[in-house]
Amino acid sequence: MLPNSKEQAARRKRGINVFVLLFGVLLIATFLTHVVPAGEYARVEVNGRNVVDPQSFQSIEQTPVSVFSLFSAIHTGMVDAGEIIFFVLIIGGAFGVLTATGAVDAFIRSLSKKLGNKEKWLIPIMMLFFAFAGAFTGMAEETLAYIPILVPLAVSLGFDVITGTAIVLVGASIGFTTAIMNPFTVGIAQGIAQLPIFSGIGYRIILFVIMYVVSVGFIYRYAMKVKKDRSLGFYGEGVPAFEQKAPTTDQPLSQTHKWVLICFLLNFVALIYGVLQFQWYITEISALFVILAIVITLISRMSADQLIESFMKGAAGMLTGALIIGLSRATLVVLGDGHVIDTLLFHASGMLHEIPPVLSAAGMYILQALIHFVVPSGSGQAALTMPIMAPLADLVGVTRQTAVLSFSLADGIGNIIFPTSGYFMAGLALAGIPWIRWAKWILPLILTQFGIGLVAVIIANWMHYGPF
């Protein structure tokens, strides 16, 4: 049945290709330049950042975008987003080198083995690890490698396939959603919104703790019910890799692996210090990860060829996301050349001005959740929406930091429920879990997380979550 599952997954992916959807958005944007009146706001500099002057909107001469300009906008968008695209590729390359050392894999296996006879600690401890990985490294696709490790371990301890899969996918999603220092979501979104990189970290740490406690409690309760009555569990649909036995540890956690992990931890200490003390931005952060790649290469005694090969492999894994960022920016190029972005802002702000700012923030959050269904890439969604959401936030009295929070929360929660999320669907196929079965099980948690996010956004704007 596994081949059939793969074929079904392939059909689903063909039916919801994100590039086709984004090109459709590009076509719609081009059409809008022909029918929406052109207009523009004046921009003024306030404390070193460009903001919209809300009283300055005026209509200007129509500048519709031609069919040829539509296609040339794709290249222009790639160039305009070059700083972000290469940032993503460099971070991905550094993670590729880290993966090649085997340190993370050995750590997971070692920790799993130690928890093999302490089943009550398996869920909170392993979920905490994946949550940290999601919060600080943006771990998403990389989680797939650990499903074959955690699922058989969970089954052998009296739990089921859903429990093992949830430890990985939900665990990483907690961190990805709250995005304490996620370079691929908050890092990119704050850069576009002209906010200090990783600012507002304290509030996101609080949200991390809340989301972690709620999610662990949900999975733990389910797992204990299954352990008490195995008929309540789900054990996969014909996936032979998941036999009911714990995995053996193929690769022990060596001293070299420990030094690699220490360097990886020190890298984030340096990152936090540099961002807070020296206002490091994308260029400096990229340099730090290049240094990390070189250092762990030397520690692991990898050759120069192995360094380049693993770096290229890691960067290649981020290529889809990088191209999505470029194509998303092409839409903004078209809207900008047609001078309709400010017209859309003008009418959107007019509608939102009719409701309190606190509800405007909630509206942004709900809108980002809907957009995420179409644009499942976090970095792509940031590149597509934040150039519009940041000035819109200025116009309706919502802080830009709240606008970024609305994006990151909506993006992360959708990653483990929307069938448009490629890595998530691949994870379900790998575990042999039908999407409908998973959706019915996890929907109460998703609704709870979404409610927490909605309250968090409202509170954030009420307290003027900033710095601005």
Side-chain angles (χ1 to χ4, degrees), residues 424-462:
F424 158 65
M425 295 302 290
L428 293 189
L430 186 62
I433 304 174
W435 179 80
I436 292 294
R437 181 71 172 80
W438 173 271
K440 288 180 178 178
W441 173 77
I442 204 172
L443 186 60
L445 176 61
I446 293 296
L447 293 176
T448 302
Q449 289 184 340
F450 190 82
I452 292 171
L454 183 62
V455 172
V457 167
I458 292 173
I459 292 175
N461 199 59
W462 171 74

Side-chain angles (χ1 to χ4, degrees), residues 3 16 29 32 45 54 147 175 181 199 217 223 278 313 414 451 466:
I16 51 177
L32 290 177
E45 187 170 310
I147 290 177
M181 291 182 67
S199 56
F278 303 112
K313 185 176 180 180

